[in-house]
Amino acid sequence: PPGISSFHEVYFNDFSQSPNVLYVTSWDTGELFAISKTSGTIIWRTRGALLDSTAYTTRGKGGNWNGCPVYSNGRIYVPSRYGASLFWKSGLDHDGSIACFDATSGVLLWNKLLPPMANNYSPYATNSASTTEFFTNIAQGNILAINDTLLVKTGNALTWLDREGNILWRSGDPDKHGLSESPYQLRFSQSCAMALDYKGGMTQCYGIDQQKHSYLWKTVLSENSSDFHSFVISPPPVLVGNIIYFLSDDFWIFGVNVLSGTLTYTLNLYNTVQSVNRSSQVMDDGFYVDDEHRIFIMDNEYMYSFQMTQ
């Protein structure tokens, strides 16, 4: 649409949907679109996903953008991040917010600033910008809607909210320390929420009980528990039955059983599709695994499909 600067990159959820409508946000304007699935026309477009505050438009200019929307029970929820903070005054400190829209009309119902992490959720949450492990509240990735509960990664914590944006629970890692700010992607399956974290130079996947907010398992995403892989700009993971498949920035696939946390599959995908005769080959993600465990991936010229071996 005209007048919109940009949309999300491939490593975020680009849109959400109801039965008849697609919902997509701009990257940095705070605008939300409702698009008809049948005609492709814009049903409505509205601003409001980003808080309109002089603290953000002056101090944080250029660092404000919204995350990706989710549809749930007639509402659209959009997380956001800001290049400044009303709570912290120095360092790499950023605020976040959650906005809620009526899905039929596009009317903004509320937009709430996320408060700092409280020490009733973690003893490592403090009010000191020099010592706190929870120095940021950015919510720039995806947001999950599970029944009438929302779950979003807010900087160094996971935050559960109710339908009206009231905080129900927050947590860091299993030891209540801060989570790494990225990767941003969250997933949910079989009553288990999944989040990635960096600890000791390794990427770890956590499984969290959605109701009790307790950690169920931890798995290192490495083929040998020692080689490092980054998931900062990787495409969204894919759920197939009880297995969730992650693709790393260097194109390794890792399959994790969401019930047990067991690492079930590893594959160096780049070596599988690398062409020695094409020096211009660049992998462009497009990652997907279907119900028959066929892997799909794209480079800058071809799409590849091959059967996963278990």
Side-chain angles (χ1 to χ4, degrees), residues 5 51 57 61 73 86 126 143 151 153 173 179 183 202 207 221-222 227 234 238-239 251 274 277-278 280 285:
S5 58
L51 289 167
T57 56
K61 187 175 182 181
N73 296 331
L86 301 179
T126 73
I143 182 170
L151 175 59
K153 192 168 186 180
D173 69 12
L179 295 167
M202 301 298 292
L221 295 185
S222 172
D227 284 358
S234 57
V238 182
L239 281 160
F251 297 96
Q274 183 180 25
N277 298 320
R278 290 174 54 217
S280 62
D285 298 339

Side-chain angles (χ1 to χ4, degrees), residues 32-309:
L32 176 65
F33 297 82
I35 302 171
S36 169
K37 285 184 179 180
T38 55
S39 67
T41 57
I42 297 176
I43 301 171
W44 52 255
R45 58 190 291 185
T46 184
R47 293 187 181 272
L50 287 168
L51 289 167
D52 184 14
S53 167
T54 56
Y56 302 131
T57 56
T58 55
R59 288 184 60 227
K61 187 175 182 181
N64 306 337
W65 60 76
N66 48 250
C68 300
V70 67
Y71 171 84
S72 177
N73 296 331
R75 292 183 174 187
I76 310 297
Y77 300 94
V78 183
S80 297
R81 63 150 284 164
Y82 304 90
S85 175
L86 301 179
F87 304 110
W88 308 111
K89 305 303 180 184
S90 64
L92 295 174
D93 35 74
H94 306 277
D95 288 340
S97 67
I98 307 295
C100 176
F101 298 84
D102 180 86
T104 301
S105 65
V107 170
L108 177 66
L109 301 178
W110 48 261
N111 194 345
K112 296 188 177 182
L113 183 68
L114 293 163
M117 180 71 166
N119 59 17
N120 60 306
Y121 298 124
S122 170
Y124 304 103
T126 73
N127 293 321
S128 170
S130 62
T131 60
T132 180
E133 296 187 24
F134 300 93
F135 60 86
T136 173
N137 279 319
I138 65 170
Q140 67 182 44
N142 67 324
I143 182 170
L144 300 180
I146 307 162
N147 298 322
D148 275 337
T149 301
L150 306 173
L151 175 59
V152 61
K153 192 168 186 180
T154 53
N156 310 112
L158 296 176
T159 301
W160 284 260
L161 307 100
D162 66 16
R163 179 177 169 86
E164 302 304 326
N166 301 305
I167 292 178
L168 302 173
W169 184 258
R170 304 188 83 177
S171 69
D173 69 12
D175 299 317
K176 298 186 178 182
H177 285 282
L179 295 167
S180 57
E181 185 176 304
S182 61
Y184 312 106
Q185 290 288 348
L186 298 177
R187 281 295 183 272
F188 177 81
S189 178
Q190 310 289 342
S191 300
C192 179
M194 284 152 283
L196 299 186
D197 183 28
Y198 290 133
K199 283 292 186 295
M202 301 298 292
T203 300
Q204 303 180 61
C205 182
Y206 296 129
I208 306 109
D209 185 285
Q210 169 61 13
Q211 297 296 324
K212 299 178 181 178
H213 313 122
S214 57
Y215 281 77
L216 303 172
W217 47 259
K218 175 181 71 174
T219 298
V220 176
L221 295 185
S222 172
E223 67 276 20
N224 53 18
S225 298
S226 60
D227 284 358
F228 170 81
H229 299 279
S230 170
F231 294 81
V232 175
I233 58 173
S234 57
V238 182
L239 281 160
V240 182
N242 292 334
I243 308 299
I244 183 170
Y245 294 99
F246 295 93
L247 181 65
S248 67
D249 295 335
D250 58 347
F251 297 96
W252 272 81
I253 294 179
F254 298 95
V256 179
N257 187 300
V258 302
L259 300 177
S260 65
T262 303
L263 188 65
T264 63
Y265 188 80
T266 62
L267 174 69
N268 187 334
L269 186 55
Y270 186 79
N271 284 351
T272 304
V273 299
Q274 183 180 25
S275 173
V276 295
N277 298 320
R278 290 174 54 217
S279 60
S280 62
Q281 184 186 33
V282 177
M283 300 306 298
D284 282 343
D285 298 339
F287 171 66
Y288 186 70
V289 181
D290 69 8
D291 290 341
E292 297 181 13
H293 291 87
R294 291 174 295 192
I295 300 171
F296 299 87
I297 191 73
M298 296 172 62
D299 65 12
N300 54 328
E301 188 172 351
Y302 297 102
M303 173 179 282
Y304 303 86
S305 175
F306 50 94
Q307 184 68 48
M308 181 184 296
T309 56

